[in-house]
Short mmCIF file of all heavy atoms in Angstrom, two decimals:
data_model
loop_
_atom_site.label_atom_id
_atom_site.label_comp_id
_atom_site.label_asym_id
_atom_site.label_seq_id
_atom_site.Cartn_x
_atom_site.Cartn_y
_atom_site.Cartn_z
N ALA A 84 108.39 99.41 100.48
CA ALA A 84 107.52 100.27 99.67
C ALA A 84 107.10 101.54 100.42
O ALA A 84 106.76 102.55 99.80
CB ALA A 84 106.29 99.49 99.22
N ARG A 85 107.13 101.48 101.75
CA ARG A 85 106.73 102.64 102.56
C ARG A 85 107.92 103.53 102.95
O ARG A 85 107.73 104.53 103.65
CB ARG A 85 106.02 102.17 103.84
CG ARG A 85 104.67 101.51 103.59
CD ARG A 85 103.84 101.42 104.87
NE ARG A 85 104.49 100.62 105.90
CZ ARG A 85 104.29 99.30 106.07
NH1 ARG A 85 103.47 98.65 105.24
NH2 ARG A 85 104.91 98.65 107.03
N TYR A 86 109.11 103.19 102.50
CA TYR A 86 110.28 103.99 102.84
C TYR A 86 110.11 105.43 102.34
O TYR A 86 109.72 105.67 101.19
CB TYR A 86 111.55 103.42 102.20
CG TYR A 86 112.13 102.19 102.88
CD1 TYR A 86 113.25 101.57 102.36
CD2 TYR A 86 111.57 101.65 104.03
CE1 TYR A 86 113.81 100.44 102.96
CE2 TYR A 86 112.11 100.52 104.64
CZ TYR A 86 113.23 99.92 104.10
OH TYR A 86 113.76 98.81 104.69
N GLY A 87 110.44 106.37 103.22
CA GLY A 87 110.41 107.79 102.86
C GLY A 87 111.81 108.37 102.89
O GLY A 87 112.81 107.64 102.85
N LYS A 88 111.88 109.70 102.99
CA LYS A 88 113.17 110.39 102.94
C LYS A 88 114.10 109.95 104.08
O LYS A 88 115.30 109.78 103.87
CB LYS A 88 112.96 111.90 102.99
CG LYS A 88 114.27 112.68 102.78
CD LYS A 88 114.07 114.17 102.83
CE LYS A 88 115.37 114.90 102.49
NZ LYS A 88 116.50 114.52 103.35
N ARG A 89 113.53 109.75 105.27
CA ARG A 89 114.36 109.35 106.41
C ARG A 89 115.03 108.00 106.15
O ARG A 89 116.22 107.82 106.43
CB ARG A 89 113.49 109.28 107.67
CG ARG A 89 114.28 108.96 108.93
CD ARG A 89 113.39 108.89 110.16
NE ARG A 89 112.80 110.20 110.46
CZ ARG A 89 111.96 110.40 111.46
NH1 ARG A 89 111.59 109.39 112.24
NH2 ARG A 89 111.48 111.61 111.69
N ASP A 90 114.25 107.04 105.60
CA ASP A 90 114.83 105.73 105.28
C ASP A 90 115.86 105.84 104.17
O ASP A 90 116.90 105.19 104.21
CB ASP A 90 113.72 104.76 104.86
CG ASP A 90 112.88 104.31 106.03
OD1 ASP A 90 113.41 103.60 106.90
OD2 ASP A 90 111.69 104.68 106.08
N PHE A 91 115.54 106.67 103.16
CA PHE A 91 116.48 106.85 102.05
C PHE A 91 117.81 107.40 102.58
O PHE A 91 118.88 106.90 102.21
CB PHE A 91 115.89 107.78 101.00
CG PHE A 91 116.82 108.05 99.85
CD1 PHE A 91 116.96 107.13 98.82
CD2 PHE A 91 117.59 109.21 99.81
CE1 PHE A 91 117.84 107.37 97.76
CE2 PHE A 91 118.46 109.45 98.76
CZ PHE A 91 118.58 108.53 97.74
N ASP A 92 117.73 108.41 103.43
CA ASP A 92 118.95 109.00 104.01
C ASP A 92 119.70 107.97 104.85
O ASP A 92 120.94 107.91 104.84
CB ASP A 92 118.60 110.22 104.87
CG ASP A 92 118.10 111.39 104.03
OD1 ASP A 92 118.34 111.39 102.81
OD2 ASP A 92 117.46 112.29 104.61
N ARG A 93 118.95 107.17 105.59
CA ARG A 93 119.57 106.11 106.41
C ARG A 93 120.34 105.14 105.52
O ARG A 93 121.49 104.77 105.83
CB ARG A 93 118.47 105.35 107.18
CG ARG A 93 118.93 104.06 107.85
CD ARG A 93 117.80 103.37 108.60
NE ARG A 93 116.71 102.95 107.75
CZ ARG A 93 116.72 101.83 107.02
NH1 ARG A 93 117.79 101.04 107.01
NH2 ARG A 93 115.67 101.49 106.29
N LEU A 94 119.73 104.74 104.42
CA LEU A 94 120.37 103.79 103.50
C LEU A 94 121.59 104.40 102.82
O LEU A 94 122.60 103.73 102.63
CB LEU A 94 119.35 103.31 102.45
CG LEU A 94 118.22 102.45 103.00
CD1 LEU A 94 117.10 102.30 101.98
CD2 LEU A 94 118.72 101.07 103.42
N MET A 95 121.51 105.67 102.47
CA MET A 95 122.64 106.34 101.82
C MET A 95 123.84 106.46 102.76
O MET A 95 124.96 106.66 102.31
CB MET A 95 122.22 107.73 101.32
CG MET A 95 121.39 107.70 100.04
SD MET A 95 122.29 107.06 98.60
CE MET A 95 123.50 108.36 98.31
N ASN A 96 123.59 106.34 104.05
CA ASN A 96 124.68 106.44 105.03
C ASN A 96 125.07 105.08 105.61
O ASN A 96 125.86 105.02 106.55
CB ASN A 96 124.27 107.39 106.16
CG ASN A 96 124.29 108.84 105.72
OD1 ASN A 96 125.34 109.39 105.43
ND2 ASN A 96 123.12 109.46 105.64
N ASP A 97 124.52 104.01 105.06
CA ASP A 97 124.76 102.66 105.58
C ASP A 97 125.91 102.00 104.81
O ASP A 97 125.76 101.63 103.64
CB ASP A 97 123.48 101.82 105.45
CG ASP A 97 123.56 100.51 106.20
OD1 ASP A 97 124.69 100.00 106.41
OD2 ASP A 97 122.51 99.97 106.58
N ALA A 98 127.05 101.85 105.45
CA ALA A 98 128.23 101.25 104.80
C ALA A 98 128.05 99.76 104.55
O ALA A 98 128.86 99.14 103.85
CB ALA A 98 129.47 101.49 105.66
N GLY A 99 126.98 99.17 105.09
CA GLY A 99 126.74 97.74 104.91
C GLY A 99 126.13 97.38 103.57
O GLY A 99 125.99 96.20 103.25
N ILE A 100 125.76 98.42 102.78
CA ILE A 100 125.17 98.18 101.46
C ILE A 100 125.91 99.01 100.41
O ILE A 100 126.80 99.79 100.74
CB ILE A 100 123.67 98.51 101.44
CG1 ILE A 100 123.45 100.03 101.65
CG2 ILE A 100 122.91 97.71 102.49
CD1 ILE A 100 122.03 100.49 101.37
N ILE A 101 125.51 98.85 99.16
CA ILE A 101 126.05 99.69 98.09
C ILE A 101 125.31 101.03 98.15
O ILE A 101 124.10 101.09 97.89
CB ILE A 101 125.85 99.04 96.70
CG1 ILE A 101 126.46 97.63 96.67
CG2 ILE A 101 126.45 99.92 95.60
CD1 ILE A 101 127.93 97.56 96.95
N ARG A 102 126.03 102.09 98.48
CA ARG A 102 125.38 103.40 98.66
C ARG A 102 125.30 104.15 97.33
O ARG A 102 125.99 105.13 97.09
CB ARG A 102 126.13 104.19 99.73
CG ARG A 102 125.96 103.58 101.12
CD ARG A 102 126.75 104.31 102.16
NE ARG A 102 128.18 104.05 102.05
CZ ARG A 102 129.10 104.51 102.89
NH1 ARG A 102 128.74 105.29 103.89
NH2 ARG A 102 130.37 104.20 102.73
N ASN A 103 124.43 103.65 96.49
CA ASN A 103 124.21 104.24 95.18
C ASN A 103 122.77 104.75 95.13
O ASN A 103 121.83 103.98 95.32
CB ASN A 103 124.46 103.17 94.10
CG ASN A 103 124.18 103.67 92.69
OD1 ASN A 103 123.03 103.90 92.33
ND2 ASN A 103 125.21 103.81 91.88
N LYS A 104 122.61 106.03 94.89
CA LYS A 104 121.30 106.68 94.92
C LYS A 104 120.28 105.97 94.02
O LYS A 104 119.16 105.66 94.43
CB LYS A 104 121.45 108.14 94.49
CG LYS A 104 120.16 108.96 94.47
CD LYS A 104 120.48 110.41 94.12
CE LYS A 104 119.22 111.27 94.11
NZ LYS A 104 118.39 111.03 92.93
N LEU A 105 120.67 105.70 92.78
CA LEU A 105 119.74 105.09 91.83
C LEU A 105 119.37 103.66 92.21
O LEU A 105 118.22 103.23 92.04
CB LEU A 105 120.34 105.11 90.42
CG LEU A 105 120.53 106.50 89.80
CD1 LEU A 105 121.19 106.39 88.43
CD2 LEU A 105 119.20 107.23 89.67
N LYS A 106 120.34 102.93 92.75
CA LYS A 106 120.07 101.55 93.16
C LYS A 106 119.15 101.49 94.38
O LYS A 106 118.29 100.62 94.46
CB LYS A 106 121.38 100.80 93.42
CG LYS A 106 122.18 100.52 92.16
CD LYS A 106 123.50 99.82 92.45
CE LYS A 106 124.26 99.56 91.15
NZ LYS A 106 125.55 98.88 91.39
N ILE A 107 119.34 102.41 95.30
CA ILE A 107 118.47 102.46 96.47
C ILE A 107 117.06 102.86 96.06
O ILE A 107 116.07 102.26 96.49
CB ILE A 107 119.05 103.42 97.54
CG1 ILE A 107 120.33 102.82 98.14
CG2 ILE A 107 118.02 103.70 98.64
CD1 ILE A 107 121.11 103.77 99.02
N GLU A 108 116.96 103.87 95.20
CA GLU A 108 115.65 104.29 94.70
C GLU A 108 114.95 103.16 93.96
O GLU A 108 113.73 102.97 94.09
CB GLU A 108 115.80 105.50 93.77
CG GLU A 108 116.13 106.79 94.49
CD GLU A 108 116.39 107.96 93.56
OE1 GLU A 108 116.59 107.72 92.33
OE2 GLU A 108 116.41 109.10 94.03
N SER A 109 115.73 102.40 93.19
CA SER A 109 115.12 101.30 92.42
C SER A 109 114.62 100.19 93.34
O SER A 109 113.59 99.57 93.05
CB SER A 109 116.11 100.74 91.39
OG SER A 109 117.11 99.95 92.00
N ALA A 110 115.33 99.93 94.43
CA ALA A 110 114.86 98.90 95.37
C ALA A 110 113.50 99.28 95.94
O ALA A 110 112.61 98.43 96.08
CB ALA A 110 115.88 98.72 96.49
N ILE A 111 113.33 100.56 96.24
CA ILE A 111 112.05 101.04 96.78
C ILE A 111 110.95 100.97 95.72
O ILE A 111 109.85 100.47 95.98
CB ILE A 111 112.20 102.47 97.34
CG1 ILE A 111 113.22 102.49 98.49
CG2 ILE A 111 110.84 103.01 97.81
CD1 ILE A 111 113.65 103.88 98.93
N SER A 112 111.26 101.45 94.52
CA SER A 112 110.24 101.42 93.46
C SER A 112 109.94 99.99 93.02
O SER A 112 108.81 99.67 92.66
CB SER A 112 110.68 102.28 92.27
OG SER A 112 111.85 101.77 91.67
N ASN A 113 110.94 99.11 93.09
CA ASN A 113 110.71 97.70 92.73
C ASN A 113 109.80 97.01 93.75
O ASN A 113 109.01 96.14 93.40
CB ASN A 113 112.04 96.95 92.62
CG ASN A 113 112.79 97.28 91.34
OD1 ASN A 113 112.28 98.00 90.49
ND2 ASN A 113 113.99 96.78 91.20
N ALA A 114 109.91 97.42 95.01
CA ALA A 114 109.02 96.88 96.04
C ALA A 114 107.58 97.27 95.73
O ALA A 114 106.65 96.46 95.85
CB ALA A 114 109.43 97.38 97.42
N LYS A 115 107.40 98.50 95.29
CA LYS A 115 106.06 98.97 94.92
C LYS A 115 105.53 98.23 93.70
O LYS A 115 104.35 97.86 93.65
CB LYS A 115 106.09 100.48 94.67
CG LYS A 115 106.38 101.30 95.92
CD LYS A 115 106.55 102.78 95.60
CE LYS A 115 106.89 103.57 96.86
NZ LYS A 115 107.16 105.01 96.57
N ALA A 116 106.39 98.01 92.72
CA ALA A 116 105.98 97.28 91.51
C ALA A 116 105.64 95.83 91.83
O ALA A 116 104.67 95.27 91.31
CB ALA A 116 107.11 97.34 90.47
N TYR A 117 106.42 95.23 92.72
CA TYR A 117 106.19 93.85 93.15
C TYR A 117 104.84 93.73 93.86
O TYR A 117 104.05 92.82 93.59
CB TYR A 117 107.34 93.42 94.07
CG TYR A 117 107.13 92.14 94.82
CD1 TYR A 117 107.30 90.90 94.20
CD2 TYR A 117 106.82 92.15 96.19
CE1 TYR A 117 107.14 89.72 94.91
CE2 TYR A 117 106.66 90.97 96.89
CZ TYR A 117 106.81 89.76 96.25
OH TYR A 117 106.65 88.59 96.95
N LEU A 118 104.56 94.67 94.76
CA LEU A 118 103.30 94.64 95.50
C LEU A 118 102.11 94.90 94.58
O LEU A 118 101.05 94.29 94.74
CB LEU A 118 103.32 95.67 96.63
CG LEU A 118 104.27 95.36 97.80
CD1 LEU A 118 104.26 96.51 98.79
CD2 LEU A 118 103.89 94.06 98.49
N ALA A 119 102.29 95.78 93.60
CA ALA A 119 101.22 96.07 92.64
C ALA A 119 100.87 94.81 91.85
O ALA A 119 99.69 94.52 91.60
CB ALA A 119 101.64 97.20 91.70
N LEU A 120 101.90 94.06 91.48
CA LEU A 120 101.69 92.80 90.76
C LEU A 120 100.93 91.81 91.63
O LEU A 120 99.97 91.17 91.17
CB LEU A 120 103.06 92.26 90.34
CG LEU A 120 103.14 91.00 89.47
CD1 LEU A 120 104.31 91.10 88.52
CD2 LEU A 120 103.28 89.74 90.33
N LYS A 121 101.33 91.71 92.89
CA LYS A 121 100.67 90.78 93.82
C LYS A 121 99.21 91.19 94.07
O LYS A 121 98.32 90.35 94.18
CB LYS A 121 101.43 90.74 95.15
CG LYS A 121 102.87 90.30 95.05
CD LYS A 121 103.04 88.81 95.11
CE LYS A 121 102.96 88.33 96.53
NZ LYS A 121 103.16 86.87 96.61
N GLU A 122 98.98 92.51 94.16
CA GLU A 122 97.63 93.01 94.42
C GLU A 122 96.69 92.70 93.25
O GLU A 122 95.47 92.62 93.44
CB GLU A 122 97.67 94.51 94.70
CG GLU A 122 98.18 94.85 96.10
CD GLU A 122 98.59 96.30 96.26
OE1 GLU A 122 98.28 97.11 95.35
OE2 GLU A 122 99.22 96.62 97.28
N ARG A 123 97.26 92.54 92.06
CA ARG A 123 96.45 92.16 90.90
C ARG A 123 96.19 90.65 90.87
O ARG A 123 95.61 90.13 89.92
CB ARG A 123 97.15 92.60 89.60
CG ARG A 123 97.19 94.10 89.39
CD ARG A 123 97.63 94.47 87.99
NE ARG A 123 99.00 94.04 87.72
CZ ARG A 123 100.07 94.81 87.94
NH1 ARG A 123 99.93 96.04 88.43
NH2 ARG A 123 101.29 94.38 87.65
N GLY A 124 96.66 89.97 91.91
CA GLY A 124 96.45 88.53 92.00
C GLY A 124 97.45 87.70 91.22
O GLY A 124 97.25 86.51 91.01
#
């Protein structure tokens, strides 16, 4: 959830994962959504 541009760029250059911009962005936003749900108890 705390990933910024540097992490995003790192992931986009990582051959060990699927280097898809939208999928990487969704993983980050999904982490935020998951934490928001947990914070609501």
Side-chain angles (χ1 to χ4, degrees):
R85 293 196 299 268
Y86 284 178
K88 186 180 185 304
R89 184 180 294 178
D90 287 293
F91 178 80
D92 291 343
R93 169 180 63 80
L94 292 166
M95 283 296 291
N96 287 294
D97 191 334
I100 66 169
I101 305 300
R102 291 177 287 183
N103 177 290
K104 180 176 181 286
L105 294 177
K106 290 178 180 180
I107 291 170
E108 287 175 346
S109 75
I111 298 168
S112 63
N113 285 355
K115 293 174 182 176
Y117 168 78
L118 290 176
L120 185 145
K121 300 273 281 181
E122 284 164 12
R123 291 191 296 269

